[in-house]
Amino acid sequence: SSSCTKPKGMTHITAGVKPDRVLVAHHGLHPCYGQALPAAVPGEGLRFLHVAGARDFLPRKGTPELIEAFAQTFGPSWTGPKARLTIRTPSSPTIHELVQATHQLHLFDVDGHSETLPPSTMREYLLSGWSAVVQPSRAEAFGLVPCEARACGLPVLLTNGSGHRGHLEPSDILIRTGPAAPIKVNGIPNG
């Protein structure tokens, strides 16, 4: 999608970042995402992927709320197909505590890692049978994962806020959010 190749969105200066600390870096997709899509690999049941990629600021990525909502939705009263949420993030005690607090460990996988995947490997990862990518970020500079997923033909569920607004598509499913509130993350006092 063309909206994934052009930087748009909020200014960080209005969020409290000093102007001399702002660097505009043009975002876009690696050329490997322009390759033809292979035949779809069907997944077993509903397989959702959330890429937090942030061990120390999971609330910024909406991860705690997503874990709770996923457990409520696909918990004991769910009668549909088996569902599972894979959370790709650097492993931490916090992420495991959040999952354990649901008392529904069978709904979650923590794909712990310490580094990002190179573009071609990420593309392969995204093409491995996911039902959708879920990115409910509270604060996002751009949000490249939804663009990568979309380029792989995956449905994307994302928050209608922060950097995601720069590449929303009319067909996106927007996660309804509560009222806007300040969030202090990554040195941004009013993210």
Side-chain angles (χ1 to χ4, degrees):
S1 168
S2 62
S3 62
C4 287
T5 59
K6 300 176 195 170
K8 298 180 190 175
M10 66 182 244
T11 66
H12 292 356
I13 295 169
T14 59
V17 177
K18 294 178 182 175
D20 63 340
R21 305 272 306 164
V22 175
L23 170 68
V24 175
H26 296 279
H27 286 69
L29 295 178
H30 187 275
C32 73
Y33 286 96
Q35 298 172 13
L37 293 175
V41 177
E44 182 182 326
L46 299 172
R47 293 180 60 228
F48 297 94
L49 174 64
H50 170 62
V51 181
R55 182 191 74 226
D56 297 326
F57 32 90
L58 292 169
R60 181 189 134 203
K61 296 293 187 171
T63 306
E65 294 83 1
L66 177 58
I67 290 170
E68 183 180 341
F70 198 86
Q72 288 175 8
T73 302
F74 297 106
S77 61
W78 174 252
T79 59
K82 177 182 165 186
R84 197 150 180 93
L85 174 64
T86 297
I87 304 164
R88 181 166 168 75
T89 184
S91 199
S92 75
T94 303
I95 195 80
H96 294 287
E97 290 167 9
L98 290 167
V99 168
Q100 288 178 359
T102 69
H103 303 289
Q104 298 180 74
L105 303 180
H106 66 283
L107 295 177
F108 302 96
D109 282 319
V110 176
D111 179 2
H113 70 285
S114 59
E115 55 192 44
T116 58
L117 296 174
S120 60
T121 306
M122 183 63 176
R123 182 177 183 268
E124 288 175 22
Y125 187 72
L126 289 169
L127 291 170
S128 62
W130 303 107
S131 302
V133 169
V134 186
Q135 295 298 119
S137 300
R138 293 181 61 208
E140 194 67 64
F142 180 71
L144 188 57
V145 171
C147 288
E148 292 171 332
R150 198 176 290 120
C152 290
L154 284 173
V156 177
L157 294 91
L158 67 160
T159 315
N160 181 16
S162 64
H164 287 163
R165 283 193 183 128
H167 53 80
L168 288 177
E169 295 291 334
S171 60
D172 286 342
I173 297 171
L174 304 179
I175 299 170
R176 189 172 39 146
T177 60
I183 180 171
K184 184 175 181 177
V185 293
N186 297 53
I188 302 172
N190 300 306

